[in-house]
Amino acid sequence: MRVDSAVRTDLNVDGMTCAACANRIQRRLGKVDGVEVAQVNFATGRATVTHASSVAETALAAEIEALGYGVIDDGDDAEAEQAREADLRRRLIVGVALALPAMVLSMVTALHFDGWEWVVAGLATPVILWSGWPFHRAAWMNLRHGSTTMDTLVSMGSLSALLWSTVVLVGDTAGWGVGGGHIYFETGAVIVTLILLGKWFEMRAKRRSGDAIRALADLGAKTAQLEDGRELALEDLAAGMRFVVKPGEKIATDGVVVDGRSAVDASMVTGEPVPVEVGPGDEVIGATINANGSLVVEATRVGSDTALAQIIRLVDQAQGSRAEVQRLADRVSSVFVPVAIAVAVLTLIGWLLVDGDTDAAFTAAVAVLIIACPCALGLATPLGIMVGTGRGAQLGVIIKGGEVLEDTRAIDAIVVDKTGTLTEAAMAVTDVHAPSLDQAGRDRVVRLAASAEARSEHPIAAAIATHGEALVDALADVETFVNRPGSGVVATVDGEEIRVGRRSLFDAVPAPVEVAAAEAEDTGATAVLAGRGAIAEVVIVVSDRVKATSADAVAAFHEQGLSVTMLTGDNARTAASVAATVGIGNRPGDDVIAEVYPEDKAAVISRLQDAGHRVAMVGDGINDAPALAQADLGIAVGTGTDVAIEASDLTIVSGDLRAVADAIALSRRTLAVIKGNLFWAFAYNTAAIPLAAFGVLNPMIAAGAMGLSSLFVVSNSLRLRRFAGYRSITR
């Protein structure tokens, strides 16, 4: 049930050592009255809670602390992480320094002097008790709450080796004859040391996987120089202030260029390798780099409202999300530890009953405890999501959550809007035809049409208005104005009715006008009809250039096995010309749907879904919001500072359609890595536990193999950092 006035709270959790810890905290938070959803991510160390506004953050923190974990303030998170790393390093150094000689002394018979067992005990005991203290503490804390985690297995295995060996050593000295004189001090010490080594590599890998988001946070400028020469700290900059950006400097915040021309390198935010030319009236993104000329920029968005802040927030949320595939891992983890303990007990009993060899029974049981520790299982999904979403941010691809990764797997059709997606959306009047009018009559109709279109915000209308302003000194006053969505406008200008739009807006279109319109449409241009009254008199030819990269993007979609459907409000001839230019129609299933009204786009998506397709929709995220929401995967293409995110699952901070292909490819690659991680984690435990139970693996080999499984998951996930995509950007 959804709660009223839901708010979101993020808490940094200290003390989690495995995925089972995260699951236990998540269950505890989920039971708090007023909490709608609680998600705890082991890899990021973060709890994300959606709850009623009446639930205090302190109450949530108290629930976590009641379980024995800590809650860290955002400002202290980095310091706490450094402290954890330093503590782990110290324990690992002690482990290596003492466990290595203990192992050598135990395994090399020539070194077995009188009393060597006591020396080994002296070396191994600090490793097991002090270096392994975090495992013992976590195991005891969980036991108090009636639960077990992966730490329970490590603690039980190492302490069992210590206690059993102590009994054997003391008993042998006292003449009890317990255990035949075999001791396992070095086994317990090596187990703890190897697992600490795995934790060390794991911590370093988790830090590397978060490098992308930290790098984004560090991109922004720290100060801004105002027009009057004053230098302000970035946090003191307000919307409306004007600041100067010199060549080579970072643009302080999102804004509009009011003076100067330059090329801006936005690659670190958008993923685009080629600098973009900007001049007065153009929007710029904060943290991008001014390449050559000097600019004066008026701030439009500051602080948390900037495009960079939005990207950081989205990536941070995505890295804390959970993919559907994680549920399987969670279910397995919740029952795995008790089952592993039960298998270890049965192994001990079985060996004693069948063989009667106490040493073999003990060794096999400890090996089962160690080999069963499914650390790799807990890392498989969250680490993959962290690295994948972080790499996406570097490429200007914002993946909204882990569930989006799975949505891309079944996508087999993609729908793209033409204007602004396949084309530049930089409309311009290229010709005017008036077959039945003289020059004065033609100019009169164009002036009336331009005056009417000046009231509209549509790109084609803006192009016509701009063209009219260039022909006459001033546009005429508009007395009445009616916008007919999808058809055009009807206005009264200078006492005359003027209609501007599609054929359907007119009662009659004379043959010469129809011929001129058809000829323009055959070239891929848009033919806009204009006329005084109900009869079309003039054809205004408006062209929108196809983006240079659109054909490559469509080819990439085809390579990914997707059929491509283009939607446009333009006529069929123009649509067909653009489709042919970019390659839509080269694959079975491709389609071109022209003269589509904005409100009908969602219906097109629905029809494709009814036909059995899983559909991705690419649009600008504003006018296309209903279609984006209807699609199985909504992809918003946000250019400049307009990062449209609310209705979409993926956001592309770029105007290059190839970035959409990159987003799909990266999502699929990330999901494949996660599945590979889970497969090998399951396969490792499934194969290794029987081997340990039958005495094939001794505890030290088991501990090493467990560490290697975690390293495999880490290294497999980090491969995503090398993902380049179709734009082949080197980073």
Side-chain angles (χ1 to χ4, degrees):
M1 181 180 69
R2 186 171 182 85
V3 297
D4 294 331
S5 303
V7 296
R8 170 193 166 112
T9 297
D10 291 324
L11 300 170
N12 297 313
V13 182
D14 186 31
M16 289 193 296
T17 56
C18 63
C21 297
N23 292 336
R24 192 153 63 87
I25 297 171
Q26 182 169 300
R27 288 194 298 270
R28 179 71 172 253
L29 291 174
K31 293 177 182 178
V32 175
D33 192 26
V35 169
E36 178 186 355
V37 178
Q39 291 186 341
V40 182
N41 191 304
F42 168 54
T44 60
R46 176 165 298 178
T48 300
V49 189
T50 303
H51 56 89
S53 56
S54 57
V55 179
E57 181 176 328
T58 53
L60 299 174
E63 294 292 334
I64 295 173
E65 290 166 348
L67 293 175
Y69 303 94
V71 177
I72 308 168
D73 292 336
D74 285 335
D76 300 331
D77 190 33
E79 184 178 337
E81 184 178 352
Q82 291 175 358
R84 287 193 297 269
E85 187 173 339
D87 180 67
L88 178 58
R89 186 189 304 112
R90 286 192 296 270
R91 295 181 189 277
L92 177 59
I93 290 172
V94 170
V96 172
L98 299 181
L100 189 59
M103 183 179 67
V104 172
L105 191 57
S106 298
M107 298 181 68
V108 180
T109 307
L111 299 177
H112 288 181
F113 51 84
D114 290 341
W116 67 270
E117 299 96 332
W118 291 98
V119 175
V120 171
L123 291 170
T125 300
V127 178
I128 296 172
L129 296 181
W130 184 79
S131 293
W133 172 247
F135 305 121
H136 309 318
R137 177 181 176 278
W140 171 246
M141 185 173 61
N142 292 321
L143 189 61
R144 285 172 50 207
H145 293 91
S147 64
T148 56
T149 67
M150 301 170 204
D151 295 306
T152 307
L153 300 177
V154 178
S155 179
M156 287 183 65
S158 59
L159 288 177
S160 297
L162 175 64
L163 293 174
W164 174 259
S165 298
T166 301
V167 169
V168 169
L169 180 58
V170 174
D172 188 56
T173 302
W176 300 341
V178 180
H182 293 286
I183 60 173
Y184 297 94
F185 288 113
E186 81 287 351
T187 299
V190 170
I191 285 169
V192 168
T193 302
L194 286 173
I195 294 174
L196 285 174
L197 182 62
K199 291 285 185 183
W200 167 255
F201 283 119
E202 178 185 309
M203 179 176 285
R204 288 174 62 86
K206 285 164 64 176
R207 188 174 68 242
R208 286 181 66 196
S209 66
D211 283 348
I213 190 68
R214 282 189 289 270
L216 281 176
D218 291 339
L219 283 177
K222 302 298 184 288
T223 60
Q225 182 181 342
L226 302 184
E227 278 187 301
D228 60 10
R230 286 183 298 149
E231 191 170 281
L232 279 184
L234 193 62
E235 55 268 23
D236 296 329
L237 194 63
M241 290 184 175
R242 293 187 176 186
F243 57 92
V244 177
V245 188
K246 297 176 182 177
E249 290 184 344
K250 292 180 180 179
I251 296 174
T253 192
D254 296 355
V256 176
V257 177
V258 294
D259 189 28
R261 292 190 176 277
S262 182
V264 173
D265 178 3
S267 59
M268 69 288 294
V269 177
T270 66
E272 296 289 352
V274 180
V276 179
E277 296 291 334
V278 298
D282 290 331
E283 294 180 328
V284 290
I285 303 175
T288 56
I289 299 173
N290 179 22
N292 42 46
S294 183
L295 298 173
V296 176
V297 179
E298 182 175 308
T300 55
R301 299 181 186 180
V302 296
S304 61
D305 295 329
T306 64
L308 181 62
Q310 288 187 56
I311 292 170
I312 292 171
R313 187 163 57 248
L314 280 172
V315 176
D316 191 44
Q317 291 173 9
Q319 291 190 341
S321 67
R322 299 165 73 84
E324 183 71 22
V325 71
Q326 176 69 19
R327 293 185 182 180
L328 175 61
D330 290 344
R331 288 196 296 269
V332 171
S333 295
S334 65
V335 300
F336 194 88
V337 175
V339 169
I341 293 173
V343 171
V345 172
L346 291 175
T347 298
L348 178 65
I349 295 172
W351 274 88
L352 291 174
L353 292 177
V354 174
D355 189 73
D357 188 337
T358 306
D359 282 341
F362 175 79
T363 301
V366 171
V368 168
L369 289 174
I370 300 304
I371 203 74
C373 187
C375 295
L377 190 62
L379 285 173
T381 299
L383 197 58
I385 290 176
M386 280 185 70
V387 181
T389 54
R391 180 58 180 153
Q394 291 177 314
L395 296 174
V397 172
I398 312 303
I399 302 171
K400 208 166 187 180
E403 64 279 359
V404 175
L405 303 173
E406 291 169 309
D407 289 339
T408 62
R409 174 183 53 186
I411 294 297
D412 62 355
I414 186 165
V415 177
V416 297
D417 186 50
K418 178 182 77 71
T419 304
T421 305
L422 289 169
T423 63
E424 298 282 1
M427 311 297 287
V429 174
T430 57
D431 207 349
V432 176
H433 300 286
S436 304
L437 299 177
D438 57 19
Q439 183 68 36
R442 187 187 74 167
D443 291 347
R444 171 69 175 170
V445 173
V446 170
R447 180 172 182 267
L448 295 176
S451 300
E453 292 286 60
R455 287 285 191 95
S456 175
E457 296 180 353
H458 194 281
I460 292 178
I464 294 173
T466 300
H467 178 72
E469 289 172 346
L471 291 179
V472 297
D473 293 336
L475 297 179
D477 293 332
V478 178
E479 298 159 24
T480 64
F481 178 87
V482 177
N483 181 26
R484 296 184 181 177
S487 294
V489 300
V490 179
T492 303
V493 182
D494 278 352
E496 291 189 82
E497 180 188 275
I498 181 72
R499 299 188 183 189
V500 189
R502 292 181 176 179
R503 292 168 176 79
S504 58
L505 194 64
F506 299 89
D507 295 340
V509 180
V513 174
E514 178 61 46
V515 169
E519 289 176 350
E521 291 166 351
D522 287 340
T523 66
T526 298
V528 179
L529 306 186
R532 292 165 291 188
I535 300 175
E537 298 176 287
V538 171
V539 177
I540 303 174
V541 182
V542 182
S543 293
D544 181 10
R545 293 189 307 274
V546 173
K547 292 179 181 177
T549 57
S550 292
D552 290 338
V554 171
F557 296 147
H558 288 158
E559 183 181 318
Q560 292 171 336
L562 305 176
S563 61
V564 184
T565 297
M566 184 183 80
L567 297 183
T568 179
D570 275 339
N571 60 79
R573 289 193 190 92
T574 300
S577 176
V578 173
T581 301
V582 300
I584 296 177
N586 294 343
R587 183 184 188 275
D590 284 2
D591 198 7
V592 178
I593 304 177
E595 300 184 16
V596 178
Y597 291 94
E599 61 269 21
D600 294 334
K601 291 181 179 180
V604 172
I605 304 293
S606 182
R607 286 200 300 271
L608 286 169
Q609 291 170 327
D610 291 342
H613 293 289
R614 297 279 292 178
V615 185
M617 168 68 190
V618 184
D620 64 12
I622 302 170
N623 297 328
D624 298 318
L628 288 168
Q630 175 66 40
D632 299 292
L633 182 69
I635 305 175
V637 178
T639 56
T641 58
D642 181 18
V643 184
I645 62 174
E646 295 302 327
S648 65
D649 303 302
L650 287 169
T651 299
I652 308 302
V653 194
S654 168
D656 189 341
L657 194 60
R658 291 178 301 174
V660 175
D662 286 348
I664 294 172
L666 177 59
S667 295
R668 290 179 173 179
R669 180 81 61 83
T670 303
L671 184 62
V673 164
I674 290 172
K675 288 186 171 183
N677 288 346
L678 289 172
F679 171 80
W680 287 109
F682 279 123
Y684 157 80
N685 286 113
T686 302
I689 289 177
L691 293 176
F694 285 104
V696 177
L697 296 177
N698 68 46
M700 282 190 290
I701 295 176
M706 189 204 73
L708 288 175
S709 71
S710 293
L711 287 178
F712 169 80
V713 166
V714 168
S715 59
N716 192 43
S717 299
L718 289 177
R719 289 191 304 117
L720 289 168
R721 289 162 59 96
R722 298 195 300 269
F723 177 85
Y726 290 93
R727 290 174 291 171
S728 299
I729 300 171
T730 302
R731 289 190 178 276

